[in-house]
Amino acid sequence: MEETPTDDRQAKIESSAEYLYGLIHARYVLTSAGLNAVLEKYYNAEYGRCPRVFCKDQPVLPAAISDVPHEEAVKVFCPSCEDMYTAKSRLDGAFFTTSLPHLLLLQYPDIKPPRQTERYVPRIYGYRIHKPKK
């Protein structure tokens, strides 16, 4: 006779399976096949676009702030302004690793856009706002 897991046990099994899948995913994305899959999604802007105006809708890459599971949600890295932003996803950042965007840009250097140096200049009625003297 087969035993049916209780609701608590079933939730624990599903949580553990999700955690294991995430750890496997973290290793997969760093392989050649994984980097190719990430590159394809990058070209299709499936991870989103940079929210910075001067990056002109630059596609972003998934990244993590920590490789320790359950510490931080996944973030996105813009290769144009080289900054990190909060992603819309609630996935664990450790499932994408801190190395992914940088390894991808090292593996495929031709996809790296020129660094954006243009800065926003605050103005009132067209005149620049000067910093107050101290």
Side-chain angles (χ1 to χ4, degrees), residues 49-123:
R49 296 187 180 274
C50 183
R52 191 170 176 270
V53 172
F54 294 117
C55 286
K56 300 175 178 81
D57 284 334
Q58 170 67 42
V60 293
L61 293 163
I65 292 177
S66 171
D67 285 324
V68 178
H70 306 299
E71 255 188 31
E72 285 282 339
V74 68
K75 308 294 184 210
V76 290
F77 174 79
C78 175
S80 183
C81 64
E82 297 181 351
D83 211 351
M84 302 260 296
Y85 299 94
T86 302
K88 293 178 183 172
S89 175
R90 306 302 284 168
L91 290 173
D92 195 319
F95 298 163
F96 289 92
T97 80
T98 56
S99 305
L100 176 60
H102 315 295
L103 187 61
L104 186 79
L105 293 171
L106 283 173
Q107 185 73 25
Y108 303 102
D110 54 314
I111 69 166
K112 183 155 175 44
R115 181 159 165 73
Q116 288 297 323
T117 56
E118 191 175 0
R119 306 287 302 166
Y120 173 74
V121 178
R123 297 175 186 270

Side-chain angles (χ1 to χ4, degrees), residues 8-68:
D8 289 344
R9 183 140 174 85
Q10 183 67 29
K12 178 73 173 164
I13 291 169
E14 288 175 10
S15 174
S16 295
E18 181 181 308
Y19 178 73
L20 178 61
Y21 178 82
L23 294 177
I24 293 168
H25 181 269
R27 300 301 165 249
Y28 168 73
V29 294
L30 298 179
T31 66
S32 181
L35 287 174
N36 285 331
V38 170
L39 182 64
E40 185 69 29
K41 289 182 177 205
Y42 170 76
Y43 282 139
N44 294 330
E46 289 183 34
Y47 300 115
R49 296 187 180 274
C50 183
R52 191 170 176 270
V53 172
F54 294 117
C55 286
K56 300 175 178 81
D57 284 334
Q58 170 67 42
V60 293
L61 293 163
I65 292 177
S66 171
D67 285 324
V68 178

